[in-house]
Amino acid sequence: MASIFTRIVNGEIPAAKLYEDAQTLAFLDVSPASHGHTLVICKQELPTLLDLPPDLLFAVARTVQLVARAITAALQPDGLNILQNNGAASGQTVAHYHVHIIPRWKGDHALNHWKPGTITPDELRDLATTISARMGVEDAA
Ligand code: 5GP
């Protein structure tokens, strides 16, 4: 079954669209974390970051930047979060690759999910070693 975002791409359900090109679409999130919360999707239905070829990754990133500039000009937030979930355990609820643009204003507490003090410097070093050892193992194409 097509994802809810594919149905938006196909015009089967409405969305407040901000921008569209051949590969990407940007529209407002129906349950916003902040004023102007926007989703940028690749039109092709691919589940996560791990599934995208480089050209689509670039196309989405370019649209994120274009739309982030427009949001900044229109709403004048103090900052923006760029957030992207992969897999249900991360909070991904729509298995169709998308990036969140979340405008932020000082003191809004829209996102408070980091946990300071939960990892030691030694643990950080070991984790960096474990991950960097796998860089380049998989074919980037
Ligand atoms: P995720 O949790 O998968 O990273 O984000 C999915 C996002 O899609 C959520 O923020 C949710 O509010 C949004 N969303 C789900 N269904 C719809 C819809 O039908 N229209 C719009 N505009 N946003 C949706």
Side-chain angles (χ1 to χ4, degrees):
M1 198 176 84
S3 77
I4 192 100
F5 293 166
T6 292
R7 297 183 66 202
I8 288 174
V9 170
N10 293 339
E12 295 165 17
I13 58 173
K17 295 181 183 177
L18 304 181
Y19 174 82
E20 183 167 11
D21 61 27
Q23 293 172 310
T24 70
L25 174 66
F27 52 92
L28 294 175
D29 195 297
V30 79
S31 304
S34 72
H35 185 54
H37 181 169
T38 296
L39 302 174
V40 177
I41 69 167
C42 66
K43 289 182 171 177
Q44 186 178 343
E45 187 172 333
L46 297 166
T48 74
L49 174 78
L50 307 184
D51 303 302
L52 262 69
D55 61 322
L56 283 186
L57 268 181
F58 175 81
V60 172
R62 176 70 179 133
T63 298
V64 167
Q65 186 188 52
L66 284 174
V67 174
R69 284 178 175 156
I71 289 170
T72 299
L75 305 180
Q76 299 177 341
D78 298 317
L80 299 161
N81 287 108
I82 305 301
L83 190 149
Q84 199 268 309
N85 299 323
N86 297 282
S90 75
Q92 186 178 18
T93 57
V94 179
H96 181 149
Y97 180 75
H98 56 282
V99 175
H100 298 256
I101 303 173
I102 303 176
R104 300 296 305 274
W105 285 266
K106 284 175 190 148
D108 66 14
H109 303 296
L111 299 171
N112 278 332
H113 55 276
W114 270 261
K115 299 172 187 165
T118 56
I119 189 164
T120 68
D122 282 351
E123 288 168 335
L124 280 173
R125 189 200 59 234
D126 291 347
L127 186 55
T129 300
T130 301
I131 296 170
S132 58
R134 299 300 301 266
M135 290 292 294
V137 170
E138 308 294 338
D139 181 4

